[in-house]
Amino acid sequence: MAKDDRRKRCKEVNKDMISGLPNVIIGHILSFLPTKDALCTCILSKSWRELWRSLSNFDFDDRTWKSKIIFGNFMDRFCYLQNSRENSIRKFRLRVNGSYPSSRMSAWISAAIKDNLEELKLWIYTADHVPLPRRIFSCEKLVILDLGYRIDIDLLGVGVHFPCLKVLHLQDLPMLDDHASIEKLLAGSPVLEELKIEHEDCESRNALRICSSSLKRLIIRFPLIAYDEKDPGCRELTLDTPNLELLKLTDLVSEKLNMLQIPYSLVEAALSVAYKHVFTIEVDDYIDMAVQLLRPIMTIVKILRLCDTTMRTLSDAVHKKLPCVGNLPDFQNLTRLEIEASGNDRWMVLHEILKCSPKLEVFILYKDSTEKTPRWRNPEFVPRCLRSSLKVIEYAGFESELGEIEMAEYFIKNAVVLEKMTIEYGWKMIHDFKERVAERLTECRRGSKACRIVFSS
């Protein structure tokens, strides 16, 4: 009797519960798996063999397949099957590194673009350019559009209608030098909340205007410009985004930077701007313009990251004693500050920022390992944040130069509510120096009894 009960319990435990579910539910479960893994379930039973056809989410990456030939043949079959179905795909992601004819890849993409499509991500790394089917610009349910690299977008004579689009990512596309096309995409996306534009090698000298009242997150990365002596031009970036909450701006190519409306909703900003010798504008005029852009941003945000290029721009303004850095306002909302810096003038900029940041709680410093750190100079007065709010300090890339040690000692002695200081050693630091630094800083008089000093490699 007991044996029969055990057999019964074993049968219950080993019973295939999933296969008893309706195919619609099984298909929904499979849609959460990577497409290749979902395809592997075909071997589980005959009833599962064709289930993959009913999937609504597809994520293809030819790097994960045994061979490019097998992948290409499967995609051809996928294309054939999808052309016979209506409004089936909700999410389609395709990442291609292999060499396939442009027309073949275009057919794969076209098969996925249906009226119910909500997410489309295409990253094409091939030698051939692939034209984006124009039908995509009338997909009214599209929420996420992420396009990268060798995709050609032709908006000539095409209307853009994205009433539901909330996320738009464009990376290193040929069309990114056609600023009119970018502006046309934005104009056809009335509820867009996140825009990311990355262009490694900018060629256009035309002005770019980012205009959107719905935009909350904006990420722009323009690190390089292809200089043409015959067409030096003057590139200009204008932001008209009054409801922005996050701004990450790396722009080393625009000679003019404009913000038409101050986004008082801005919470976080990361900024990298710098003067380049190919610019037609005078260096002092550029520095003045850049600082005038930074000032209102710094008074609004809670979280701020100033990259090395921006710190260099600010330090040039301090060194030249330009009027734009005089009488800086208090950064009343700033609680977290991250900077990349070294160099004498940049220490002076740090003094000014700390002096204007009465509510700062977290300060993180990333050291530029390519430059020697000068001697630290104490501020004339201890900043208010050291006396009332600064709780966490992190120093990344510490190399035990005297100026670094002096700066660390200054914070340890004067930050009276400091809870934790983390010293992260640079890769060049040898063991003996690490021990000496740890001993010196550990024995330093502490302004806060609660302060812990942590050392890491």
Side-chain angles (χ1 to χ4, degrees), residues 386 390-391 411-421 442 444-453:
L386 269 70
L390 190 60
K391 297 177 181 178
F411 282 111
I412 292 170
K413 291 175 182 177
N414 291 282
V416 297
V417 295
L418 190 64
E419 296 175 0
K420 183 180 179 182
M421 170 176 270
T442 301
C444 179
R445 177 183 59 80
R446 304 183 192 188
S448 167
K449 293 180 181 179
C451 176
R452 293 185 299 116
I453 303 176

mmCIF file of all heavy atoms in Angstrom, residues 386 390-391 411-421 442 444-453:
data_model
loop_
_atom_site.group_PDB
_atom_site.id
_atom_site.type_symbol
_atom_site.label_atom_id
_atom_site.label_comp_id
_atom_site.label_asym_id
_atom_site.label_seq_id
_atom_site.Cartn_x
_atom_site.Cartn_y
_atom_site.Cartn_z
ATOM 1 N N LEU A 386 31.009 70.681 3.864
ATOM 2 C CA LEU A 386 31.908 69.911 4.720
ATOM 3 C C LEU A 386 31.510 70.054 6.182
ATOM 4 O O LEU A 386 31.764 69.159 6.996
ATOM 5 C CB LEU A 386 33.366 70.349 4.527
ATOM 6 C CG LEU A 386 34.157 69.584 3.454
ATOM 7 C CD1 LEU A 386 33.664 69.937 2.063
ATOM 8 C CD2 LEU A 386 35.651 69.871 3.579
ATOM 9 N N LEU A 390 28.163 66.709 3.872
ATOM 10 C CA LEU A 390 28.952 65.749 3.086
ATOM 11 C C LEU A 390 29.210 64.470 3.890
ATOM 12 O O LEU A 390 29.895 64.491 4.914
ATOM 13 C CB LEU A 390 30.277 66.378 2.652
ATOM 14 C CG LEU A 390 31.096 65.596 1.628
ATOM 15 C CD1 LEU A 390 30.321 65.388 0.334
ATOM 16 C CD2 LEU A 390 32.424 66.281 1.342
ATOM 17 N N LYS A 391 28.655 63.339 3.379
ATOM 18 C CA LYS A 391 28.728 62.072 4.101
ATOM 19 C C LYS A 391 29.614 61.022 3.427
ATOM 20 O O LYS A 391 30.146 60.139 4.084
ATOM 21 C CB LYS A 391 27.318 61.489 4.265
ATOM 22 C CG LYS A 391 26.387 62.352 5.091
ATOM 23 C CD LYS A 391 24.989 61.756 5.145
ATOM 24 C CE LYS A 391 24.055 62.641 5.952
ATOM 25 N NZ LYS A 391 22.670 62.095 5.981
ATOM 26 N N PHE A 411 39.982 66.722 3.468
ATOM 27 C CA PHE A 411 38.593 66.280 3.616
ATOM 28 C C PHE A 411 38.397 65.501 4.910
ATOM 29 O O PHE A 411 37.383 65.658 5.598
ATOM 30 C CB PHE A 411 38.169 65.445 2.417
ATOM 31 C CG PHE A 411 37.835 66.253 1.188
ATOM 32 C CD1 PHE A 411 38.643 66.224 0.073
ATOM 33 C CD2 PHE A 411 36.705 67.057 1.171
ATOM 34 C CE1 PHE A 411 38.337 66.975 -1.052
ATOM 35 C CE2 PHE A 411 36.387 67.809 0.050
ATOM 36 C CZ PHE A 411 37.210 67.775 -1.068
ATOM 37 N N ILE A 412 39.340 64.629 5.236
ATOM 38 C CA ILE A 412 39.218 63.832 6.461
ATOM 39 C C ILE A 412 39.171 64.741 7.690
ATOM 40 O O ILE A 412 38.380 64.523 8.622
ATOM 41 C CB ILE A 412 40.391 62.833 6.575
ATOM 42 C CG1 ILE A 412 40.273 61.767 5.476
ATOM 43 C CG2 ILE A 412 40.418 62.171 7.947
ATOM 44 C CD1 ILE A 412 41.495 60.877 5.353
ATOM 45 N N LYS A 413 39.978 65.788 7.685
ATOM 46 C CA LYS A 413 40.055 66.685 8.844
ATOM 47 C C LYS A 413 38.857 67.619 8.957
ATOM 48 O O LYS A 413 38.442 67.978 10.065
ATOM 49 C CB LYS A 413 41.336 67.524 8.768
ATOM 50 C CG LYS A 413 42.619 66.748 8.983
ATOM 51 C CD LYS A 413 43.835 67.654 8.774
ATOM 52 C CE LYS A 413 45.136 66.873 8.935
ATOM 53 N NZ LYS A 413 46.328 67.739 8.662
ATOM 54 N N ASN A 414 38.294 68.029 7.816
ATOM 55 C CA ASN A 414 37.306 69.111 7.840
ATOM 56 C C ASN A 414 35.863 68.687 7.587
ATOM 57 O O ASN A 414 34.947 69.477 7.828
ATOM 58 C CB ASN A 414 37.690 70.176 6.811
ATOM 59 C CG ASN A 414 38.961 70.926 7.207
ATOM 60 O OD1 ASN A 414 38.933 71.801 8.062
ATOM 61 N ND2 ASN A 414 40.077 70.562 6.585
ATOM 62 N N ALA A 415 35.638 67.464 7.103
ATOM 63 C CA ALA A 415 34.264 67.005 6.854
ATOM 64 C C ALA A 415 33.711 66.423 8.152
ATOM 65 O O ALA A 415 33.965 65.263 8.491
ATOM 66 C CB ALA A 415 34.247 65.967 5.743
ATOM 67 N N VAL A 416 32.930 67.226 8.876
ATOM 68 C CA VAL A 416 32.564 66.862 10.254
ATOM 69 C C VAL A 416 31.406 65.870 10.344
ATOM 70 O O VAL A 416 31.141 65.327 11.426
ATOM 71 C CB VAL A 416 32.228 68.135 11.082
ATOM 72 C CG1 VAL A 416 33.446 69.034 11.195
ATOM 73 C CG2 VAL A 416 31.051 68.880 10.465
ATOM 74 N N VAL A 417 30.689 65.605 9.233
ATOM 75 C CA VAL A 417 29.634 64.588 9.261
ATOM 76 C C VAL A 417 29.970 63.435 8.302
ATOM 77 O O VAL A 417 29.107 62.619 7.984
ATOM 78 C CB VAL A 417 28.248 65.185 8.909
ATOM 79 C CG1 VAL A 417 27.825 66.182 9.958
ATOM 80 C CG2 VAL A 417 28.252 65.805 7.523
ATOM 81 N N LEU A 418 31.214 63.369 7.879
ATOM 82 C CA LEU A 418 31.640 62.334 6.940
ATOM 83 C C LEU A 418 31.477 60.942 7.552
ATOM 84 O O LEU A 418 31.883 60.706 8.691
ATOM 85 C CB LEU A 418 33.108 62.556 6.547
ATOM 86 C CG LEU A 418 33.657 61.697 5.396
ATOM 87 C CD1 LEU A 418 32.925 62.008 4.092
ATOM 88 C CD2 LEU A 418 35.156 61.928 5.226
ATOM 89 N N GLU A 419 30.866 60.034 6.785
ATOM 90 C CA GLU A 419 30.657 58.663 7.247
ATOM 91 C C GLU A 419 31.615 57.682 6.586
ATOM 92 O O GLU A 419 32.000 56.685 7.206
ATOM 93 C CB GLU A 419 29.207 58.244 6.968
ATOM 94 C CG GLU A 419 28.188 59.062 7.742
ATOM 95 C CD GLU A 419 26.754 58.716 7.375
ATOM 96 O OE1 GLU A 419 26.574 57.829 6.499
ATOM 97 O OE2 GLU A 419 25.827 59.307 7.951
ATOM 98 N N LYS A 420 31.992 57.949 5.342
ATOM 99 C CA LYS A 420 32.851 56.992 4.641
ATOM 100 C C LYS A 420 33.684 57.694 3.576
ATOM 101 O O LYS A 420 33.168 58.485 2.793
ATOM 102 C CB LYS A 420 31.992 55.900 3.984
ATOM 103 C CG LYS A 420 32.791 54.801 3.295
ATOM 104 C CD LYS A 420 31.853 53.769 2.680
ATOM 105 C CE LYS A 420 32.626 52.666 1.971
ATOM 106 N NZ LYS A 420 31.725 51.678 1.327
ATOM 107 N N MET A 421 34.998 57.399 3.587
ATOM 108 C CA MET A 421 35.872 57.832 2.497
ATOM 109 C C MET A 421 36.483 56.585 1.874
ATOM 110 O O MET A 421 37.075 55.759 2.575
ATOM 111 C CB MET A 421 36.978 58.765 2.967
ATOM 112 C CG MET A 421 38.030 59.029 1.877
ATOM 113 S SD MET A 421 39.304 60.205 2.337
ATOM 114 C CE MET A 421 38.552 61.727 1.783
ATOM 115 N N THR A 442 45.076 56.770 7.711
ATOM 116 C CA THR A 442 44.388 56.172 8.856
ATOM 117 C C THR A 442 44.724 56.915 10.146
ATOM 118 O O THR A 442 43.886 57.052 11.044
ATOM 119 C CB THR A 442 44.771 54.686 8.987
ATOM 120 O OG1 THR A 442 44.418 53.997 7.783
ATOM 121 C CG2 THR A 442 44.037 54.032 10.149
ATOM 122 N N CYS A 444 45.479 60.060 10.329
ATOM 123 C CA CYS A 444 45.105 61.469 10.215
ATOM 124 C C CYS A 444 43.958 61.802 11.180
ATOM 125 O O CYS A 444 43.040 61.008 11.373
ATOM 126 C CB CYS A 444 44.679 61.757 8.775
ATOM 127 S SG CYS A 444 44.167 63.466 8.476
ATOM 128 N N ARG A 445 44.035 62.987 11.800
ATOM 129 C CA ARG A 445 42.956 63.421 12.686
ATOM 130 C C ARG A 445 41.661 63.552 11.895
ATOM 131 O O ARG A 445 41.627 64.141 10.813
ATOM 132 C CB ARG A 445 43.314 64.781 13.303
ATOM 133 C CG ARG A 445 42.215 65.360 14.191
ATOM 134 C CD ARG A 445 42.608 66.732 14.710
ATOM 135 N NE ARG A 445 42.867 67.682 13.630
ATOM 136 C CZ ARG A 445 41.934 68.331 12.951
ATOM 137 N NH1 ARG A 445 40.641 68.106 13.226
ATOM 138 N NH2 ARG A 445 42.263 69.196 12.007
ATOM 139 N N ARG A 446 40.569 63.020 12.447
ATOM 140 C CA ARG A 446 39.300 62.999 11.728
ATOM 141 C C ARG A 446 38.322 64.017 12.311
ATOM 142 O O ARG A 446 38.134 64.088 13.524
ATOM 143 C CB ARG A 446 38.681 61.600 11.765
ATOM 144 C CG ARG A 446 39.619 60.543 11.217
ATOM 145 C CD ARG A 446 38.990 59.170 11.172
ATOM 146 N NE ARG A 446 40.020 58.156 10.900
ATOM 147 C CZ ARG A 446 39.778 56.887 10.648
ATOM 148 N NH1 ARG A 446 38.528 56.459 10.616
ATOM 149 N NH2 ARG A 446 40.767 56.049 10.423
ATOM 150 N N GLY A 447 37.696 64.751 11.399
ATOM 151 C CA GLY A 447 36.698 65.719 11.843
ATOM 152 C C GLY A 447 35.407 65.046 12.276
ATOM 153 O O GLY A 447 34.632 65.600 13.041
ATOM 154 N N SER A 448 35.189 63.825 11.777
ATOM 155 C CA SER A 448 33.984 63.069 12.126
ATOM 156 C C SER A 448 34.390 61.765 12.803
ATOM 157 O O SER A 448 35.151 60.969 12.232
ATOM 158 C CB SER A 448 33.167 62.769 10.871
ATOM 159 O OG SER A 448 32.161 61.806 11.128
ATOM 160 N N LYS A 449 33.876 61.517 13.990
ATOM 161 C CA LYS A 449 34.185 60.273 14.702
ATOM 162 C C LYS A 449 33.595 59.064 14.010
ATOM 163 O O LYS A 449 34.068 57.934 14.167
ATOM 164 C CB LYS A 449 33.659 60.347 16.139
ATOM 165 C CG LYS A 449 34.386 61.383 17.013
ATOM 166 C CD LYS A 449 33.822 61.402 18.419
ATOM 167 C CE LYS A 449 34.541 62.445 19.265
ATOM 168 N NZ LYS A 449 33.983 62.498 20.656
ATOM 169 N N ALA A 450 32.540 59.293 13.212
ATOM 170 C CA ALA A 450 31.864 58.167 12.542
ATOM 171 C C ALA A 450 32.544 57.796 11.225
ATOM 172 O O ALA A 450 32.148 56.818 10.563
ATOM 173 C CB ALA A 450 30.418 58.528 12.267
ATOM 174 N N CYS A 451 33.579 58.511 10.816
ATOM 175 C CA CYS A 451 34.186 58.303 9.501
ATOM 176 C C CYS A 451 34.968 57.002 9.425
ATOM 177 O O CYS A 451 35.804 56.690 10.261
ATOM 178 C CB CYS A 451 35.119 59.470 9.181
ATOM 179 S SG CYS A 451 36.013 59.272 7.627
ATOM 180 N N ARG A 452 34.655 56.201 8.353
ATOM 181 C CA ARG A 452 35.430 54.997 8.036
ATOM 182 C C ARG A 452 36.229 55.266 6.756
ATOM 183 O O ARG A 452 35.714 55.849 5.798
ATOM 184 C CB ARG A 452 34.520 53.798 7.797
ATOM 185 C CG ARG A 452 33.769 53.307 9.003
ATOM 186 C CD ARG A 452 32.980 52.044 8.709
ATOM 187 N NE ARG A 452 31.989 52.263 7.667
ATOM 188 C CZ ARG A 452 31.999 51.658 6.481
ATOM 189 N NH1 ARG A 452 32.976 50.816 6.154
ATOM 190 N NH2 ARG A 452 31.045 51.906 5.592
ATOM 191 N N ILE A 453 37.492 54.843 6.754
ATOM 192 C CA ILE A 453 38.323 55.011 5.564
ATOM 193 C C ILE A 453 38.551 53.618 4.961
ATOM 194 O O ILE A 453 39.058 52.723 5.637
ATOM 195 C CB ILE A 453 39.671 55.672 5.894
ATOM 196 C CG1 ILE A 453 39.425 57.020 6.576
ATOM 197 C CG2 ILE A 453 40.487 55.882 4.621
ATOM 198 C CD1 ILE A 453 40.689 57.723 7.035
#
